[in-house]
Structure formats: C-alpha cells, structure tokens
C-alpha cells in the first residue's frame, strides 16, 4: 500500500515537472531510503615492502620487516623473556580483524603468548620485528633460525 502511494507521488511530480516546462532539465536521482555506503575494509595488519637484499617481505604497518623463529610452531614459543627485548612480538589490536594485503597468499591469525598477550602469526608462525631494524626494509634481524617472512607470491617488483 505504501509503495503505491510513493509511486503515485513520483508520477504526480513527473507530470507536474512536464507541465511547468522543466522537463528538459536533468532528472534528479534519489538514493533509496535506508541505503548505506559500502563499509570500508578493515585496515591492513601487515604490508609488503621491498628490501635491497631479499626482495619483498612482510612488514608491520610502519614498514619494519617481520621475522619468524623457525624453532617456533603453533603453541610453542621459544622467544620469551629477554628475547623479546630484541625481538618484539607483533601485537594484535583488539578491535581489528587480522588482514593481509590483497593478493598475498597465506593466513594471518592471532595467537596467545605464554604471558597472555595476543600476537599476530603468519601461517601459524608468530611474527616479530627486530630492534636493530631502524628503517623500513632493513633486514638486520636474520640469524641462524630467524627468517624474514617472504610470501611466495610477493616476489621482487620489476
């Protein structure tokens, strides 16, 4: 019933416009009532940066290279206590959904550290930054069991 009333009103306005000589003006398009803009995607949790020596690697949102400890696996944390003064666990922001850049393969998840804090993990491996990396793209944190995260589809850009 309401839709008929709305349709009748629109027809009456169109007829009035035509009778007053305004028919040659462009039509005004109205958005449907209650229509909302599409929601913005969640902000990225990590990004991809180019390095001088390794090509493209995952980085935190400040461009600092992300590392994983090859000794760690889901539920097993080796970097605890004093290790975290050099290797900073990548924290998870409570109000965000972990999100990789478009086109980057893999899974970004949240793991709970032994101290109860939450940390981001890539394909199950907890992520860390390195205190010695000062500039975006630095890779000074590579060590015998520490590796920069290089997604297989984030090859060096041309």
């Amino acid at each position: 019933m309401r839709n008929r009333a709305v349709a009748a009103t629109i027809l009456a306005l169109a007829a009035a416009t035509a009778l007053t000589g305004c028919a040659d003006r462009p039509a005004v398009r109205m958005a449907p009532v209650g229509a909302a803009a599409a929601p913005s995607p969640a902000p990225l949790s990590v990004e991809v940066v180019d390095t001088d020596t390794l090509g493209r690697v995952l980085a935190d949102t400040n461009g600092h290279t992300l590392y994983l400890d090859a000794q760690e696996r889901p539920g097993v944390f080796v970097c605890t206590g004093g290790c975290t003064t050099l290797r900073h666990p990548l924290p998870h922001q409570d109000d965000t959904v972990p999100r990789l850049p478009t086109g980057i393969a893999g899974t970004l998840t949240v793991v709970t550290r032994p101290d109860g804090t939450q940390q981001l993990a890539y394909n199950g491996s907890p992520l860390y930054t390195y205190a010695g990396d000062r500039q975006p793209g630095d890779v000074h944190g590579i060590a015998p069991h520490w590796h920069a995260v290089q997604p297989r589809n984030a090859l060096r850009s041309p």
Side-chain angles (χ1 to χ4, degrees):
M1 189 78 139
R2 184 169 189 262
N3 286 343
R4 284 187 194 167
V6 170
T9 302
I10 291 172
L11 285 174
L13 287 172
T17 300
L19 290 174
T20 61
C22 298
D24 59 334
R25 292 188 184 165
V28 175
R29 297 185 190 268
M30 299 177 66
V33 175
S40 298
L44 290 176
S45 304
V46 299
E47 58 185 45
V48 177
V49 298
D50 286 317
T51 67
D52 290 337
T53 57
L54 297 177
R56 301 186 84 195
V57 299
L58 285 186
D60 68 7
T61 56
N62 294 316
H64 293 106
T65 301
L66 292 175
Y67 300 90
L68 59 85
D69 182 343
Q71 301 173 104
E72 293 186 338
R73 52 189 189 282
V76 176
F77 290 87
V78 176
C79 187
T80 59
C83 174
T84 62
T85 59
L86 282 179
R87 308 283 179 172
H88 306 144
L90 183 62
H92 168 64
Q93 304 300 323
D94 290 334
D95 58 344
T96 63
V97 174
R99 191 166 83 86
L100 287 167
T102 301
I104 299 300
T107 306
L108 199 59
T109 57
V110 178
V111 294
T112 302
R113 294 186 53 76
D115 64 4
T117 60
Q118 293 191 321
Q119 178 179 1
L120 289 177
Y122 178 71
N123 292 339
S125 295
L127 296 172
Y128 299 84
T129 56
Y130 179 65
D133 287 347
R134 299 289 180 209
Q135 300 295 319
D138 281 354
V139 288
H140 303 296
I142 295 174
H145 53 86
W146 286 96
H147 307 281
V149 181
Q150 295 177 276
R152 68 179 177 275
N153 59 331
L155 303 174
R156 181 179 286 283
S157 56

